[in-house]
Amino acid sequence: MSTHPQLTGLTSRQVEESRLKYGSNILTPAKKESLWISFLKKFRDPLIIILLVAGALSILISFYEYYGLGHGFAVFFEPIGIFIAIILATGLSFFFEYKAEKEFAILNQVNDDEPVQVIREGNSIEIPRKDVVVGDIVILNTGNEVPADGQLLEAISLNIDESTLTGEPLCHKTVNPDDFDPEATFPSDMAMRGTKIMEGHGIMRVTAVGDHTENGKVFEAAQIDDSVKTPLNEQLDRLGKLISRASYVIGALIVAGRILMYFIDPKIEFQWLDFMAYLLQTLMIAVTLVVVAVPEGLPMAVTLSLAYSMRRMLKTNNLVRKMHACETMGATTVICTDKTGTLTQNQMQVYQTDFYGLDNQRLGDDPLSHLIEEGIAVNSTAMLDHSDPDRPKALGNPTEGALLLWLDKSGIDPAKLKESCTILEELPFTTQRKYMATVIRDASGRRILYVKGAPEIVYSLCSRFPAGATKGAVDSRLLEYQQQAMRTLGFAYQILDNDTAALEENRVVADNLEFLGFVAISDPVRADVPDAIKETIDAGINIKIVTGDTPATAREIGRQIGLWTTADSDRNIITGPEFEKLSEEELHQRVGDLKIIARARPLDKKRLVEALQANNEVVAVTGDGTNDAPALKSAHVGLSMGDGTSVAKEASDITIIDNSFASISRAVMWGRSLYLNIRRFVMFQMTVNVAACLIVLAGAFMGTESPLTVTQMLWVNLIMDTFAAMALASLPPDRSVMDEKPRSRTAFIINPTMWRAIVGTGALFFFILLGLLWYFEHTNLESLTEMFQVPFLPENKGLSPYELSLFFTIFVFLQFWNMFNAKAFATGRSALHFIHCGEFLMIAAIVLGGQLLIVEFGREFFNVVPLKPIDWLIIIGSTSLVLFVGEAWRFLRRTLR
């Protein structure tokens, strides 16, 4: 039968009616995309779209050449290569994200069959959590997770950990309106789904289940995909549009120019059939140029760079789930962080003890030390879990747990000390009384009263005070601790005669208590956080703390980490209720100034993120609780903590395994370095394409075919460029990127310096290659050692297979050495600086080896013949001038600074 006869609970019929009306106590899971849809979404990339267009045009040309002109099957190599590039780029991106998604799948498992004690039809029974309905009477005991939202009918010394919803680790609950906390995030007589009973017990009537609970609303908000475009996507969009427009314009110019040449050439007599054939050839040249202009390797290069960084970031405690998050961290302008567990250690600890008469505040074998130890051990509702001998864990009230951990650290076992005594009477803590008391009989048979609570209350109960414990001195010391947002507890004791009354009518009546002293307890700031905060602020990133704590506590933590300064005022801090009242216009004007939101509710952080995004900020959000999930989802980058809730991890893009803000700072450094590496590759690849396009363009007006075949261009654009991307992505992160401000979101990925390098170097390569092409066409060259020695022919005799092989190899090695110049871009260092660049050198060696193999063994497929060893040496040596001229230019710039 129920132990609460006045509460009969619901009948079976009422349970069914309630379930039909209000639903089941299950959170509706997020709808998962099929693998097929996830893969197809990869084709939305702007560069992939350009490749698809180029591939389609290439297929049309190949069919015409195969069926109309009778060429061999080799004409299909180009479209096949383009589509291989598309499949590789999309497939790699899909594979890496799918692999990361599988690692996260375990986090989504929710146990809805956990037993819950309820009263139904007058009986106390256990039912699965999913069967709880609105109106159920639920019995709550220490250690239980609250199964649904409900109003408390009874609360005995009830303290609930609401950190998963509000960030507040301990909230006192009561049914007495006089004791309600007006600053509490949720009413003092409400218990919320997903929170945990830390001590005491109670009874509640369920008011909301499943998706209608606060936890459910947060979970639902976390599923909304706001489709926030990342800065890199925006940059690649613009780059894709630029490449497509430029290639279409140049293609149109080729068509117009060649048609004009046809009509103004006096040697040509106009005939419709000849003109149509000429026009078709012109269109094929134009389409070929469009295909050459598209950097086929760029999508795969970006994917490989992101995937490579994804793997490397794991070594710095950043488990990346969404590939774009690697780079987006580098563009971040604002980080919204919670306090508990990220900035602080999320473990209450004794900061300082002030026990009067205790030598050096260290426990010993003296009577005073024994009284302090015994008073802490017996007058407590907490206990220690020693399942991990190296790291004991406090169970129950975290403040009391901190005292037990302090004893344990001092070599004292609180459990054994408590077992050696007999507890005679107890008076639990209440917010009204603000103290707790326990009467025990110790091992020697003495009756002792121990009191613990708010220091000013405990002090007022005492009649005996040790030397130095004046009210003024105590109050002054307490004020110091309170200004540092610390919790303080005072202690007193009295050895009782057998007939002395200690507790009556729920209060202490003993009148000879002696004040022992007090302790300051805090959740310490992580040791590495202040330096990480300074580094992040120096990097031009704004930090905003969003917490469920009081304004005073949040402000003090802000001061300790270096965020809150003497220059800050009330305009820089706001409470959740005040934040909620701000109009959109007021929020837009004030959001940039805010540093702290205290007493924040679950959706306040999401609104903050959206307001910052509306101001064109790139926002990263940290969080470990269910309350953080909507903001994590809507931010450009969501950063969950390693020990956070599964809902938070599911909504995030990166999980910080060690929970430290310092790892977030490292993620920013990685992101900025990655973006720099991507820019290096873009500069390298665009230089290749500028040179190739100009050769095709020159050939179109000179009446010669391109000396570079389709398969050769595919080797350069797909294989060589992919390895170059890997080489540049392997460059180690550079701490100097943290000395710069975040890049402008509207700034183009190619800056003026890069444009000069791309156009200047590309044009230089073009003139070198054009000169070689003209020279090779007018000589019979069998080795580069014969240059300027063989007779010059007045007529264009075309290119021999050996000359074509020389031309192709020179083209590749010009790009090869330019890769080293790209490596040195924006570093201020020499390209020959190879510390921590072993992978770059290894990949460069693979590219070099690949070119040797292709020329020596590629034969008909690559339209090449083997070169003489002396020619290899001449090509490698002469083209290396690209690197050394670049080195001389960089040295000159460093000298002139």
Side-chain angles (χ1 to χ4, degrees):
M1 293 293 290
S2 167
T3 55
H4 304 274
Q6 74 277 20
L7 299 172
T8 57
L10 301 177
T11 64
S12 298
R13 182 178 175 182
Q14 288 173 324
V15 167
E16 290 306 316
E17 289 174 351
S18 178
R19 188 172 288 120
L20 284 171
K21 186 174 181 181
Y22 300 106
S24 298
N25 192 31
I26 295 175
L27 299 181
T28 305
K31 188 178 180 181
K32 292 287 183 183
E33 285 181 342
S34 68
L35 293 178
W36 184 242
I37 294 296
S38 298
F39 177 65
L40 288 178
K41 279 190 172 181
K42 299 299 172 190
F43 288 84
R44 292 179 178 177
D45 185 289
L47 293 174
I48 294 294
I49 292 170
I50 293 176
L51 279 183
L52 287 169
V53 173
L57 292 173
S58 182
I59 286 175
L60 292 175
I61 292 175
S62 298
F63 273 111
Y64 170 75
E65 290 178 335
Y66 186 75
Y67 291 107
L69 304 179
H71 291 180
F73 186 75
V75 296
F76 289 102
F77 287 160
E78 181 165 7
I80 289 171
I82 291 172
F83 283 101
I84 287 173
I86 293 169
I87 296 300
L88 282 174
T90 53
L92 280 171
S93 176
F94 171 76
F95 171 74
F96 283 114
E97 288 198 1
Y98 172 70
K99 189 177 177 184
E101 195 69 33
K102 281 184 70 178
E103 293 175 12
F104 274 78
I106 194 169
L107 302 176
N108 299 328
Q109 296 175 359
V110 179
N111 184 12
D112 285 315
D113 292 318
E114 189 177 326
V116 175
Q117 192 175 2
V118 300
I119 298 173
R120 286 184 180 174
E121 297 182 330
N123 294 317
S124 178
I125 60 172
E126 281 192 347
I127 62 170
R129 180 167 65 179
K130 64 185 179 184
D131 290 343
V132 172
V133 298
V134 172
D136 259 331
I137 305 298
V138 178
I139 298 171
L140 303 171
N141 290 305
T142 301
N144 290 164
E145 185 177 295
V146 180
D149 288 0
Q151 185 168 20
L152 291 166
L153 306 175
E154 182 180 291
I156 309 299
S157 302
L158 186 62
N159 287 301
I160 297 182
D161 179 358
E162 287 187 350
S163 59
T164 59
L165 268 181
T166 67
E168 183 65 29
L170 203 68
C171 298
H172 182 69
K173 296 296 180 178
T174 178
V175 294
N176 183 356
D178 295 336
D179 293 336
F180 284 8
D181 181 358
E183 291 187 346
T185 307
F186 295 110
S188 296
D189 64 343
M190 292 293 291
M192 318 308 291
R193 177 189 168 111
T195 59
K196 191 172 182 180
I197 310 298
M198 299 306 291
E199 59 184 357
H201 54 88
I203 299 171
M204 76 172 191
R205 178 178 279 112
V206 175
T207 57
V209 294
D211 294 338
H212 302 290
T213 61
E214 285 297 319
N215 188 294
K217 291 173 187 174
V218 171
F219 184 76
E220 185 179 359
Q223 310 312 319
I224 299 169
D225 187 359
D226 294 298
S227 300
V228 177
K229 261 202 168 180
T230 67
L232 182 60
N233 283 340
E234 291 175 347
Q235 298 284 4
L236 293 179
D237 269 344
R238 291 178 63 187
L239 180 61
K241 288 174 183 174
L242 174 73
I243 292 170
S244 56
R245 286 171 184 167
S247 58
Y248 296 153
V249 167
I250 294 171
L253 287 174
I254 287 175
V255 174
R258 279 178 60 89
I259 290 174
L260 183 65
M261 285 173 61
Y262 182 85
F263 282 109
I264 63 174
D265 190 340
K267 297 178 184 178
I268 298 176
E269 185 178 338
F270 181 82
Q271 290 185 359
W272 273 108
L273 196 61
D274 290 342
F275 175 71
M276 293 304 295
Y278 180 84
L279 181 62
L280 187 60
Q281 183 190 27
T282 298
L283 290 172
M284 285 175 57
I285 292 171
V287 171
T288 302
L289 186 132
V290 170
V291 172
V292 169
V294 175
E296 289 95 339
L298 187 55
M300 187 158 60
V302 172
T303 298
L304 284 172
S305 297
L306 291 171
Y308 191 83
S309 295
M310 198 173 176
R311 181 172 63 84
R312 294 273 291 269
M313 284 173 74
L314 184 57
K315 295 177 181 177
T316 61
N317 294 307
N318 290 275
L319 176 58
V320 180
R321 183 184 180 197
K322 299 292 184 184
M323 288 177 70
H324 73 80
C326 299
E327 185 279 330
T328 308
M329 277 305 297
T332 298
T333 57
V334 179
I335 297 176
C336 300
T337 177
D338 58 351
K339 176 186 73 70
T340 308
T342 308
L343 302 177
T344 65
Q345 297 177 21
N346 195 20
Q347 184 169 1
M348 302 301 287
Q349 296 178 18
V350 173
Y351 172 77
Q352 180 69 49
T353 60
D354 284 272
F355 289 113
Y356 294 96
L358 190 65
D359 292 338
N360 298 319
Q361 296 300 309
R362 289 184 179 176
L363 298 171
D365 295 328
D366 56 289
L368 176 60
S369 293
H370 181 73
L371 284 168
I372 293 168
E373 296 162 11
E374 190 173 73
I376 291 173
V378 301
N379 193 23
S380 175
T381 58
M383 59 184 69
L384 296 183
D385 175 8
H386 281 92
S387 53
D388 181 352
D390 298 325
R391 292 189 64 187
K393 185 179 178 182
L395 304 176
N397 185 301
T399 306
E400 293 193 28
L403 293 170
L404 299 186
L405 287 168
W406 178 67
L407 286 184
D408 186 82
K409 193 176 179 181
S410 302
I412 296 147
D413 186 340
K416 285 185 179 179
L417 202 53
K418 192 170 185 177
E419 286 170 8
S420 68
C421 304
T422 303
I423 294 175
L424 304 176
E425 293 180 83
E426 285 184 292
L427 190 64
F429 179 90
T430 67
T431 52
Q432 187 174 16
R433 203 167 33 236
K434 294 189 177 178
Y435 67 82
M436 64 186 296
T438 303
V439 180
I440 61 117
R441 190 175 299 281
D442 69 3
S444 63
R446 296 183 301 175
R447 279 179 72 230
I448 306 176
L449 166 65
Y450 289 108
V451 181
K452 175 183 71 186
E456 64 275 13
I457 302 296
V458 173
Y459 191 91
S460 69
L461 295 172
C462 296
S463 58
R464 292 185 297 140
F465 304 94
T470 63
K471 191 171 190 317
V474 171
D475 288 346
S476 174
R477 191 76 168 140
L478 289 174
L479 183 62
E480 287 180 33
Y481 293 137
Q482 287 159 6
Q483 286 175 340
Q484 296 177 59
M486 295 184 187
R487 299 179 184 182
T488 52
L489 287 173
F491 299 84
Y493 82 101
Q494 180 178 334
I495 299 175
L496 304 167
D497 296 331
N498 286 333
D499 57 348
T500 302
L503 309 174
E504 287 181 3
E505 297 178 355
N506 289 326
R507 65 188 182 89
V508 171
V509 295
D511 58 2
N512 200 27
L513 280 164
E514 180 171 348
F515 190 66
L516 285 169
F518 49 91
V519 299
I521 296 172
S522 68
D523 180 7
V525 167
R526 288 175 174 269
D528 54 359
V529 164
D531 288 341
I533 293 286
K534 182 180 185 304
E535 182 181 42
T536 307
I537 292 173
D538 289 346
I541 299 171
N542 292 319
I543 297 170
K544 301 182 188 295
I545 298 174
V546 187
T547 176
D549 269 328
T550 64
T553 300
R555 190 186 291 113
E556 174 56 25
I557 294 299
R559 186 194 65 76
Q560 290 181 28
I561 64 174
L563 178 64
W564 188 269
T565 67
T566 53
D568 293 314
S569 64
D570 288 344
R571 181 167 177 78
N572 305 108
I573 186 170
I574 196 171
T575 64
E578 292 168 345
F579 183 79
E580 190 177 15
K581 290 175 184 175
L582 291 177
S583 67
E584 290 304 313
E585 181 59 31
E586 290 170 331
L587 179 59
H588 176 75
Q589 292 174 357
R590 192 174 173 188
V591 69
D593 295 327
L594 289 177
K595 285 189 174 182
I596 295 171
I597 301 181
R599 290 298 188 196
R601 290 170 176 264
L603 295 180
D604 288 340
K605 192 185 280 190
K606 183 174 187 286
R607 188 184 180 207
L608 173 67
V609 169
E610 290 168 346
L612 289 165
Q613 288 173 337
N615 283 3
N616 212 31
E617 303 281 6
V618 179
V619 187
V621 169
T622 75
D624 58 356
T626 302
N627 59 312
D628 299 314
L632 289 167
K633 189 77 171 180
S634 60
H636 291 101
V637 182
L639 301 150
S640 62
M641 298 298 117
D643 59 1
T645 65
S646 59
V647 175
K649 289 177 180 175
E650 172 64 26
S652 67
D653 304 299
I654 298 176
T655 295
I656 308 299
I657 296 171
D658 65 352
N659 302 333
S660 175
F661 195 92
S663 294
I664 299 170
S665 179
R666 286 194 291 271
V668 171
M669 180 184 71
W670 265 104
R672 291 187 177 187
S673 297
L674 170 61
Y675 183 70
L676 181 58
N677 286 343
I678 290 174
R679 292 179 80 182
R680 286 169 177 151
F681 177 76
V682 167
M683 187 172 73
F684 167 79
Q685 169 114 59
M686 293 296 287
T687 303
V688 174
N689 285 67
V690 164
C693 281
L694 289 174
I695 288 170
V696 173
L697 190 61
F701 289 102
M702 289 167 60
T704 61
E705 290 187 13
S706 171
L708 298 171
T709 67
V710 170
T711 48
Q712 288 172 354
M713 280 307 298
L714 285 173
W715 156 251
V716 172
N717 268 354
L718 281 183
I719 311 303
M720 179 184 167
D721 286 356
T722 297
F723 277 108
M726 291 169 63
L728 293 170
S730 72
L731 295 175
D734 188 349
R735 293 207 72 86
S736 66
V737 296
M738 296 299 282
D739 297 331
E740 303 166 6
K741 300 301 178 188
R743 70 176 189 267
S744 169
R745 190 165 179 181
T746 57
F748 190 37
I749 193 168
I750 303 177
N751 63 19
T753 304
M754 292 173 67
W755 273 125
R756 287 193 291 272
I758 291 168
V759 175
T761 309
L764 176 65
F765 289 173
F766 163 67
F767 287 118
I768 292 170
L769 292 166
L770 188 65
L772 283 171
L773 179 62
W774 182 77
Y775 183 79
F776 287 169
E777 285 176 339
H778 292 81
T779 56
N780 286 311
L781 203 67
E782 295 183 1
S783 171
L784 290 176
T785 55
E786 300 173 354
M787 288 249 332
F788 309 116
Q789 296 178 19
V790 293
F792 188 80
L793 305 175
E795 294 293 326
N796 183 345
K797 54 96 181 159
L799 296 177
S800 69
Y802 195 85
E803 289 168 338
L804 280 169
S805 300
L806 286 172
F807 187 88
F808 170 54
T809 305
I810 291 168
F811 176 79
V812 167
F813 273 96
L814 286 172
Q815 314 306 333
F816 174 79
W817 293 114
N818 194 43
M819 181 175 70
F820 288 80
N821 286 332
K823 169 186 174 291
F825 172 69
T827 62
R829 290 201 202 104
S830 164
L832 302 176
H833 176 87
F834 293 125
I835 296 174
H836 305 303
C837 296
E839 291 181 52
F840 177 90
L841 290 173
M842 181 183 73
I843 296 168
I846 291 172
V847 172
L848 181 65
Q851 182 64 21
L852 284 165
L853 289 172
I854 281 174
V855 174
E856 294 301 310
F857 304 104
R859 307 295 169 124
E860 291 83 5
F861 186 80
F862 283 100
N863 197 27
V864 290
V865 294
L867 297 181
K868 296 172 182 175
I870 187 64
D871 287 341
W872 277 110
L873 293 174
I874 291 171
I875 290 171
I876 293 172
S878 60
T879 55
S880 67
L881 285 171
V882 171
L883 168 61
F884 293 111
V885 169
E887 280 293 280
W889 174 248
R890 282 185 289 275
F891 176 77
L892 186 63
R893 289 188 66 184
R894 286 197 300 271
T895 306
L896 294 175
R897 278 180 187 170

